[in-house]
Amino acid sequence: MALNYVRHTLTLIVFFSLAVAGCGDSANRPPPDQVINIGGGGGGTGCSQPFFPTEEPDMSPLAPPEFVTEEGQEQRLVRPGQELLAEITVNGATRQIFVELSDAWSPLVILTQELETPGSQTIPLTFLTDRDTRGRFYMRIALCGEDCNEREVIFDIIEPDLDDQANTGINADYERTLIENGEVVRVDQTCVRPNTVLIQ
């Protein structure tokens, strides 16, 4: 009888200790990993990225930025001088969007867009390409709240490496860089693959 009482008391102590530890201040802990299954069909493992706090400007891996036609289909090719349409879906914390149409294999930026948003919406973009511009391009994206100096989230490719083309540049998922007060806070891999378009 005494042994059962001791066992029951120890069980309660362990349970309450774990409960109290789980209710600690979450601000000092890194966000938990969240498995997001994108392209994981047919026995694939999908993709895993950290869960980012809702107060940070962000875009969803389930609605990645893409170049689209007027009918909403993926746009893979445009002629020089034609309009290029795109869409970006952002979360509720996003108030400002900065997009650079960048060359996939060099630091060349050919067009930029700056937009404001109330957040939690899909934003249409229109780029008017130059008649002399040719190449493969992707969107480098920066998202902010009300003040970009306070917090900015940048989505960019990993610098292209000719010796590792499969895991860098436009062949790898975006890197997400969180900058607060001018300082890089963290850099994470995402499950968002940069959509590209060929201008030729």
Side-chain angles (χ1 to χ4, degrees):
M1 182 78 168
L3 184 59
N4 282 339
Y5 175 77
V6 171
R7 186 178 302 150
H8 180 68
T9 302
L10 287 175
T11 302
L12 286 175
I13 289 171
V14 169
F15 174 77
F16 284 118
S17 298
L18 291 174
V20 169
C23 293
D25 181 15
S26 63
N28 295 324
R29 290 184 298 197
D33 282 350
Q34 175 182 359
V35 176
I36 302 170
N37 290 314
I38 297 177
T45 57
C47 177
S48 175
Q49 77 173 38
F51 172 80
F52 302 115
T54 56
E55 65 269 16
E56 295 178 6
D58 208 354
M59 56 188 187
S60 170
L62 302 178
E66 60 183 349
F67 297 105
V68 294
T69 64
E70 289 183 355
E71 294 76 30
Q73 304 299 316
E74 183 179 358
Q75 189 172 20
R76 297 176 181 272
L77 174 69
V78 293
R79 299 288 180 207
Q82 286 186 331
E83 278 189 345
L84 176 58
L85 306 177
E87 290 181 347
I88 296 176
T89 302
V90 296
N91 72 349
T94 305
R95 294 293 177 269
Q96 301 177 66
I97 303 169
F98 302 88
V99 182
E100 295 177 344
L101 194 60
S102 301
D103 190 288
W105 301 109
S106 78
L108 176 67
V109 175
I110 61 166
L111 295 166
T112 61
Q113 291 263 356
E114 297 181 17
L115 303 115
E116 293 185 357
T117 175
S120 298
Q121 66 177 181
T122 299
I123 311 294
L125 302 167
T126 303
F127 297 97
L128 183 58
T129 61
D130 189 274
R131 293 186 182 278
D132 297 326
T133 301
R134 285 169 174 73
R136 182 165 296 281
F137 297 89
Y138 76 100
M139 288 180 275
R140 180 186 185 274
I141 300 165
L143 306 177
C144 304
E146 297 291 346
D147 184 358
C148 287
N149 293 323
E150 181 182 324
R151 179 180 290 143
E152 182 178 21
V153 177
I154 297 173
F155 293 87
D156 201 358
I157 60 174
I158 302 168
E159 186 174 345
D161 183 346
L162 294 178
D163 295 327
D164 190 14
Q165 292 187 33
N167 298 304
T168 62
I170 58 172
N171 297 318
D173 293 334
Y174 275 114
E175 263 189 343
R176 181 187 189 272
T177 303
L178 172 64
I179 301 172
E180 293 182 347
N181 300 313
E183 299 288 332
V184 173
V185 175
R186 59 183 290 162
V187 178
D188 295 284
Q189 281 301 115
T190 70
C191 291
V192 180
R193 181 63 53 95
N195 191 230
T196 65
V197 67
L198 183 63
I199 301 176
Q200 73 171 20

